[in-house]
Amino acid sequence: MAERRRDGRDMRDGVREAEAAQGGSVSDETARAWAALVATARRTVADGLVVGTSGNVSVRVGDTVLVTPSGVPYDRLTPEDVVGVDLTGRQLLGTLTPTSELPMHLAVYRATDARAIVHTHAVHATAVSTLVRELPLIHYMAGDLGGPVRVAPYATYGTEELAGNTLRALTDRTACILQNHGTLAHGATLGQAYDRTAQLEWMCRVWLTASSVPGLSPTLLSEAQVSEAGERLEGYGQRG
């Protein structure tokens, strides 16, 4: 179902109008992508993965990266708020300032095959980031993220240093945890990036819960077991 504006109109129509007002034209693909981005951003709030305007979402359409704007509550986003940049950060669409974490998003797009990114300040993952350098292998779904999920060393938000730390933590992975900060996951679609984000937060919650039992330590999996599960997960679900 298409995302609807507060006035009941299709959000894609508003994106086209906003772009036309700037003297350009926007493709149906871009309009659909912006509507999906807004829906995903709102879902991060509804599911408790972010608070207020924390976190951010982006999606790549060709060589244009659509991103949430800085400091705008997701429930207030409209089609006219569309923000798009090229892979160098030059603004192509909209007048609002892109998210402050733009360097991190662009670094991931330039270095990987990511088509969508979800960054959150999820509670359990952020707690884990203060305790360990890598999420212990508490569940085989780590295989869907490429293996043990690393914690990127802390750096000030919005900096190239944080972008570099994130890229290193993402080597051969599709998600990582940011120390004293949150999470980042990418995927081929917004849905996949979001699902990986939610899965990572769930695994962090499981590990924290199991680790909190006095006198007991959680049983962990080996990297070989997680790798085997990851291979099986590649063929999981319906085909075609």
Side-chain angles (χ1 to χ4, degrees), residues 151-164:
V151 176
Y154 179 80
T156 304
Y157 79 92
T159 62
E160 293 293 343
E161 181 183 6
L162 177 59

Side-chain angles (χ1 to χ4, degrees), residues 140-182:
Y140 68 80
M141 282 302 292
D144 188 48
L145 305 179
V149 179
R150 307 182 186 100
V151 176
Y154 179 80
T156 304
Y157 79 92
T159 62
E160 293 293 343
E161 181 183 6
L162 177 59
N165 291 350
T166 300
L167 273 186
R168 284 186 287 275
L170 282 173
T171 301
D172 298 322
R173 302 289 186 270
T174 55
C176 70
I177 302 172
L178 311 178
Q179 186 179 1
N180 295 86
H181 187 155

Side-chain angles (χ1 to χ4, degrees), residues 20-238:
Q22 298 179 51
S25 61
V26 64
S27 68
D28 286 342
E29 183 182 11
T30 298
R32 288 193 299 269
W34 178 253
L37 179 150
V38 171
T40 301
R42 290 175 179 169
R43 187 179 177 190
T44 65
V45 177
D47 289 352
L49 297 174
V50 303
V51 176
T53 61
S54 65
N56 28 76
V57 178
S58 67
V59 61
R60 182 173 176 175
V61 181
D63 288 332
T64 298
V65 176
L66 305 180
V67 296
T68 47
S70 178
V72 180
Y74 298 147
D75 63 351
R76 298 181 190 173
L77 287 176
T78 71
E80 291 76 15
D81 294 326
V82 61
V83 175
V85 301
D86 65 17
L87 292 173
T88 70
R90 181 173 64 92
Q91 191 152 351
L92 304 175
L93 298 174
T95 58
L96 293 177
T97 302
T99 172
S100 58
E101 295 291 9
L102 185 61
M104 183 168 64
H105 286 252
L106 294 181
V108 174
Y109 285 121
R110 289 193 296 260
T112 73
D113 60 358
R115 306 301 294 184
I117 294 172
V118 175
H119 164 51
T120 77
H121 291 182
V123 173
H124 297 93
T126 303
V128 167
S129 80
T130 69
L131 300 171
V132 295
R133 294 300 180 91
E134 182 178 277
L135 175 63
L137 291 174
I138 194 72
H139 197 274
Y140 68 80
M141 282 302 292
D144 188 48
L145 305 179
V149 179
R150 307 182 186 100
V151 176
Y154 179 80
T156 304
Y157 79 92
T159 62
E160 293 293 343
E161 181 183 6
L162 177 59
N165 291 350
T166 300
L167 273 186
R168 284 186 287 275
L170 282 173
T171 301
D172 298 322
R173 302 289 186 270
T174 55
C176 70
I177 302 172
L178 311 178
Q179 186 179 1
N180 295 86
H181 187 155
T183 69
L184 183 141
H186 67 78
T189 65
L190 280 165
Q192 186 178 59
Y194 184 87
D195 288 347
R196 286 170 171 167
T197 299
Q199 190 68 57
L200 175 56
E201 170 67 355
W202 179 82
M203 287 191 294
C204 288
R205 183 176 182 181
V206 169
W207 181 72
L208 287 170
T209 301
S211 299
S212 69
V213 179
L216 296 176
S217 297
T219 299
L220 301 176
L221 301 175
S222 68
E223 289 198 30
Q225 288 172 320
V226 169
S227 178
E228 180 181 1
E231 292 174 2
R232 291 180 64 86
L233 286 166
E234 290 180 3
Y236 176 78
Q238 302 299 314

